[in-house]
PDB file of all heavy atoms in Angstrom:
ATOM      1  N   SER A 107     233.162  -5.754-202.418  1.00  0.00           N
ATOM      2  CA  SER A 107     231.968  -5.202-202.836  1.00  0.00           C
ATOM      3  C   SER A 107     230.782  -5.720-202.013  1.00  0.00           C
ATOM      4  O   SER A 107     229.782  -5.017-201.825  1.00  0.00           O
ATOM      5  CB  SER A 107     231.756  -5.422-204.427  1.00  0.00           C
ATOM      6  OG  SER A 107     231.852  -6.793-204.662  1.00  0.00           O
ATOM      7  N   ASP A 108     230.867  -6.913-201.633  1.00  0.00           N
ATOM      8  CA  ASP A 108     229.863  -7.571-200.708  1.00  0.00           C
ATOM      9  C   ASP A 108     230.342  -7.647-199.384  1.00  0.00           C
ATOM     10  O   ASP A 108     231.035  -8.555-198.826  1.00  0.00           O
ATOM     11  CB  ASP A 108     229.463  -8.992-201.238  1.00  0.00           C
ATOM     12  CG  ASP A 108     228.263  -9.577-200.475  1.00  0.00           C
ATOM     13  OD1 ASP A 108     227.932  -9.107-199.430  1.00  0.00           O
ATOM     14  OD2 ASP A 108     227.697 -10.540-201.015  1.00  0.00           O
ATOM     15  N   VAL A 109     230.083  -6.432-198.602  1.00  0.00           N
ATOM     16  CA  VAL A 109     230.660  -6.336-197.212  1.00  0.00           C
ATOM     17  C   VAL A 109     230.155  -7.419-196.291  1.00  0.00           C
ATOM     18  O   VAL A 109     230.807  -7.922-195.518  1.00  0.00           O
ATOM     19  CB  VAL A 109     230.378  -4.933-196.688  1.00  0.00           C
ATOM     20  CG1 VAL A 109     230.803  -4.815-195.290  1.00  0.00           C
ATOM     21  CG2 VAL A 109     231.008  -3.899-197.578  1.00  0.00           C
ATOM     22  N   ARG A 110     228.901  -7.663-196.417  1.00  0.00           N
ATOM     23  CA  ARG A 110     228.308  -8.738-195.575  1.00  0.00           C
ATOM     24  C   ARG A 110     228.894 -10.061-195.711  1.00  0.00           C
ATOM     25  O   ARG A 110     229.300 -10.741-194.736  1.00  0.00           O
ATOM     26  CB  ARG A 110     226.708  -8.824-195.855  1.00  0.00           C
ATOM     27  CG  ARG A 110     225.962  -9.418-194.744  1.00  0.00           C
ATOM     28  CD  ARG A 110     224.599  -9.751-195.208  1.00  0.00           C
ATOM     29  NE  ARG A 110     223.929  -8.460-195.677  1.00  0.00           N
ATOM     30  CZ  ARG A 110     222.831  -7.969-195.041  1.00  0.00           C
ATOM     31  NH1 ARG A 110     222.351  -8.485-193.992  1.00  0.00           N
ATOM     32  NH2 ARG A 110     222.281  -6.901-195.535  1.00  0.00           N
ATOM     33  N   ALA A 111     229.209 -10.437-196.933  1.00  0.00           N
ATOM     34  CA  ALA A 111     229.835 -11.757-197.252  1.00  0.00           C
ATOM     35  C   ALA A 111     231.238 -11.702-196.682  1.00  0.00           C
ATOM     36  O   ALA A 111     231.816 -12.647-196.078  1.00  0.00           O
ATOM     37  CB  ALA A 111     229.806 -12.040-198.720  1.00  0.00           C
ATOM     38  N   ALA A 112     231.999 -10.549-196.789  1.00  0.00           N
ATOM     39  CA  ALA A 112     233.278 -10.409-196.338  1.00  0.00           C
ATOM     40  C   ALA A 112     233.327 -10.569-194.754  1.00  0.00           C
ATOM     41  O   ALA A 112     234.357 -11.242-194.164  1.00  0.00           O
ATOM     42  CB  ALA A 112     233.925  -9.064-196.685  1.00  0.00           C
ATOM     43  N   CYS A 113     232.324 -10.026-194.065  1.00  0.00           N
ATOM     44  CA  CYS A 113     232.296 -10.164-192.739  1.00  0.00           C
ATOM     45  C   CYS A 113     232.068 -11.640-192.260  1.00  0.00           C
ATOM     46  O   CYS A 113     232.751 -12.163-191.309  1.00  0.00           O
ATOM     47  CB  CYS A 113     231.065  -9.320-192.082  1.00  0.00           C
ATOM     48  SG  CYS A 113     231.354  -7.597-192.342  1.00  0.00           S
ATOM     49  N   GLU A 114     231.151 -12.306-192.893  1.00  0.00           N
ATOM     50  CA  GLU A 114     230.846 -13.713-192.633  1.00  0.00           C
ATOM     51  C   GLU A 114     232.100 -14.548-192.859  1.00  0.00           C
ATOM     52  O   GLU A 114     232.436 -15.389-192.121  1.00  0.00           O
ATOM     53  CB  GLU A 114     229.741 -14.321-193.416  1.00  0.00           C
ATOM     54  CG  GLU A 114     228.345 -13.796-192.784  1.00  0.00           C
ATOM     55  CD  GLU A 114     227.161 -14.149-193.725  1.00  0.00           C
ATOM     56  OE1 GLU A 114     227.285 -15.099-194.532  1.00  0.00           O
ATOM     57  OE2 GLU A 114     226.132 -13.530-193.539  1.00  0.00           O
ATOM     58  N   ALA A 115     232.802 -14.206-193.930  1.00  0.00           N
ATOM     59  CA  ALA A 115     233.966 -15.038-194.362  1.00  0.00           C
ATOM     60  C   ALA A 115     235.040 -14.805-193.280  1.00  0.00           C
ATOM     61  O   ALA A 115     235.786 -15.800-192.954  1.00  0.00           O
ATOM     62  CB  ALA A 115     234.484 -14.520-195.732  1.00  0.00           C
ATOM     63  N   TYR A 116     235.091 -13.672-192.709  1.00  0.00           N
ATOM     64  CA  TYR A 116     236.164 -13.364-191.749  1.00  0.00           C
ATOM     65  C   TYR A 116     235.939 -14.204-190.419  1.00  0.00           C
ATOM     66  O   TYR A 116     236.763 -14.759-189.843  1.00  0.00           O
ATOM     67  CB  TYR A 116     236.345 -11.918-191.378  1.00  0.00           C
ATOM     68  CG  TYR A 116     237.606 -11.585-190.499  1.00  0.00           C
ATOM     69  CD1 TYR A 116     238.802 -12.213-190.832  1.00  0.00           C
ATOM     70  CD2 TYR A 116     237.474 -10.874-189.399  1.00  0.00           C
ATOM     71  CE1 TYR A 116     239.924 -12.027-190.044  1.00  0.00           C
ATOM     72  CE2 TYR A 116     238.662 -10.631-188.702  1.00  0.00           C
ATOM     73  CZ  TYR A 116     239.817 -11.218-188.937  1.00  0.00           C
ATOM     74  OH  TYR A 116     240.973 -10.986-188.110  1.00  0.00           O
ATOM     75  N   ASP A 117     234.617 -14.168-189.957  1.00  0.00           N
ATOM     76  CA  ASP A 117     234.287 -14.963-188.797  1.00  0.00           C
ATOM     77  C   ASP A 117     234.674 -16.370-189.073  1.00  0.00           C
ATOM     78  O   ASP A 117     235.139 -17.101-188.091  1.00  0.00           O
ATOM     79  CB  ASP A 117     232.778 -14.824-188.376  1.00  0.00           C
ATOM     80  CG  ASP A 117     232.582 -13.702-187.493  1.00  0.00           C
ATOM     81  OD1 ASP A 117     233.440 -13.215-186.860  1.00  0.00           O
ATOM     82  OD2 ASP A 117     231.367 -13.384-187.297  1.00  0.00           O
ATOM     83  N   LYS A 118     234.308 -16.861-190.204  1.00  0.00           N
ATOM     84  CA  LYS A 118     234.645 -18.303-190.541  1.00  0.00           C
ATOM     85  C   LYS A 118     236.118 -18.653-190.600  1.00  0.00           C
ATOM     86  O   LYS A 118     236.570 -19.615-190.141  1.00  0.00           O
ATOM     87  CB  LYS A 118     233.928 -18.660-191.816  1.00  0.00           C
ATOM     88  CG  LYS A 118     234.178 -20.098-192.347  1.00  0.00           C
ATOM     89  CD  LYS A 118     233.055 -20.713-193.075  1.00  0.00           C
ATOM     90  CE  LYS A 118     233.208 -22.247-193.387  1.00  0.00           C
ATOM     91  NZ  LYS A 118     234.556 -22.793-193.298  1.00  0.00           N
ATOM     92  N   ALA A 119     236.795 -17.656-191.142  1.00  0.00           N
ATOM     93  CA  ALA A 119     238.277 -17.802-191.206  1.00  0.00           C
ATOM     94  C   ALA A 119     238.935 -17.896-189.851  1.00  0.00           C
ATOM     95  O   ALA A 119     239.848 -18.676-189.572  1.00  0.00           O
ATOM     96  CB  ALA A 119     238.881 -16.653-192.063  1.00  0.00           C
ATOM     97  N   LEU A 120     238.348 -17.033-188.928  1.00  0.00           N
ATOM     98  CA  LEU A 120     238.932 -17.131-187.542  1.00  0.00           C
ATOM     99  C   LEU A 120     238.631 -18.497-186.899  1.00  0.00           C
ATOM    100  O   LEU A 120     239.477 -19.102-186.204  1.00  0.00           O
ATOM    101  CB  LEU A 120     238.282 -15.959-186.681  1.00  0.00           C
ATOM    102  CG  LEU A 120     238.653 -14.542-187.005  1.00  0.00           C
ATOM    103  CD1 LEU A 120     237.826 -13.547-186.260  1.00  0.00           C
ATOM    104  CD2 LEU A 120     240.181 -14.330-186.679  1.00  0.00           C
TER     105      LEU A 120
END
Side-chain angles (χ1 to χ4, degrees):
S107 52
D108 187 341
V109 177
R110 199 187 303 244
C113 294
E114 279 173 24
Y116 189 48
D117 265 349
K118 176 148 190 338
L120 289 170

